[in-house]
Amino acid sequence: LTDNANVNNIEQDSYSILGKLSHQWSLGKTSIKAAYASFDDFQDETEYEIDFDRATPRFTGDAILFDVEDTELSAGIDHEFALSDDINFVVGGFYQDKDRRTLAGEDRNRFNLNTSVHNWNQFVANPTDFATPFDPIVPNPGGDNRLEEERIDGFALVEGKTGALRWEIGVRYETTSVTIDDFTVAAADQRQTNDYEEWLPSASVKVDVGSNG
């Protein structure tokens, strides 16, 4: 048998900005896109509980802090050339930078109460009556970190239409760089990195079967 009081204060803020620009030249059409997005999630939670299933009732108070800040910047450019009335060649590039900052920690107060608490009336009293000040929040192992991911891509494709067929064939070259900083470990072990590249060929075919297909 327990009595519990739990309050979680949640504050979230987000916004994004997107811009597009295109221009038709004599040698084709150029399109540029750029975007920026931000998301903040802050949670300050307290939980107080009295455990009565003991010879001496026990009080537990927990303070939990969770704070995440996400930002993302991206930009892309492509240019489309008409090779014929039904075939286009497209070449372009893409850049993306993601940054996540996380802080997660907690503190706990626990102690025994007087046996008179067995006469507890939950409609009159509240576990918060026994709350005591918490110490400064200490991050959990791995709970104070930063993640950065940078991606740069280049691509080229040919797309067209032949009768009832719409087709596309192309290739993308992706490069990704990931850096993770864990501020809860020794300085010499804080940073981990991983870089990798991939060639990604692709092809697709669509068939227009008509309104009765």
Side-chain angles (χ1 to χ4, degrees), residues 89-139:
F89 174 66
V90 184
V91 62
F94 176 77
Y95 173 80
Q96 184 179 64
D97 182 76
K98 294 182 178 181
D99 194 329
R100 167 172 286 195
R101 187 71 172 88
T102 301
L103 179 62
E106 58 187 62
D107 186 43
R108 166 170 285 187
N109 294 332
R110 171 172 280 176
F111 47 85
N112 291 332
L113 301 173
N114 192 284
T115 55
S116 62
V117 176
H118 277 303
N119 298 319
W120 184 261
N121 185 341
Q122 65 178 352
F123 299 105
V124 176
N126 191 288
T128 57
D129 296 341
F130 297 101
T132 56
F134 291 102
D135 292 330
I137 297 293
V138 176

Side-chain angles (χ1 to χ4, degrees), residues 100-103 142-147 180-184:
R100 167 172 286 195
R101 187 71 172 88
T102 301
L103 179 62
D144 185 3
N145 63 76
R146 181 175 183 177
L147 170 64
I180 301 175
D181 291 302
D182 182 354
F183 302 108
T184 65

Side-chain angles (χ1 to χ4, degrees), residues 13-178:
D13 296 301
S14 65
Y15 67 90
S16 62
I17 302 172
L18 174 65
K20 298 180 181 180
L21 178 66
S22 62
H23 186 77
Q24 185 73 44
W25 310 85
S26 59
L27 294 178
K29 180 181 179 181
T30 301
S31 298
I32 300 174
K33 298 179 180 179
Y36 180 81
S38 174
F39 176 73
D40 295 342
D41 182 10
F42 177 82
Q43 299 186 34
D44 181 11
E45 181 178 7
T46 56
E47 181 175 10
Y48 303 103
E49 182 179 89
I50 301 175
D51 183 1
F52 298 98
D53 291 333
R54 303 165 50 86
T56 302
R58 184 172 65 186
F59 172 85
T60 302
D62 290 313
I64 303 169
L65 175 67
F66 181 74
D67 189 8
V68 174
E69 298 179 4
D70 269 331
T71 59
E72 179 177 325
L73 173 67
S74 63
I77 183 172
D78 65 70
H79 188 79
E80 180 180 296
F81 304 85
L83 301 181
S84 69
D85 290 342
D86 296 320
I87 301 176
N88 294 319
F89 174 66
V90 184
V91 62
F94 176 77
Y95 173 80
Q96 184 179 64
D97 182 76
K98 294 182 178 181
D99 194 329
R100 167 172 286 195
R101 187 71 172 88
T102 301
L103 179 62
E106 58 187 62
D107 186 43
R108 166 170 285 187
N109 294 332
R110 171 172 280 176
F111 47 85
N112 291 332
L113 301 173
N114 192 284
T115 55
S116 62
V117 176
H118 277 303
N119 298 319
W120 184 261
N121 185 341
Q122 65 178 352
F123 299 105
V124 176
N126 191 288
T128 57
D129 296 341
F130 297 101
T132 56
F134 291 102
D135 292 330
I137 297 293
V138 176
N140 298 324
D144 185 3
N145 63 76
R146 181 175 183 177
L147 170 64
E148 296 178 274
E149 179 182 281
E150 184 179 59
R151 176 179 154 191
I152 301 176
D153 301 352
F155 69 90
L157 63 89
V158 179
E159 59 184 6
K161 179 180 180 181
T162 305
L165 295 178
R166 293 181 181 272
W167 51 270
E168 179 182 295
I169 183 169
V171 64
R172 176 183 291 269
Y173 179 65
E174 293 187 358
T175 65
T176 304
S177 176
V178 180

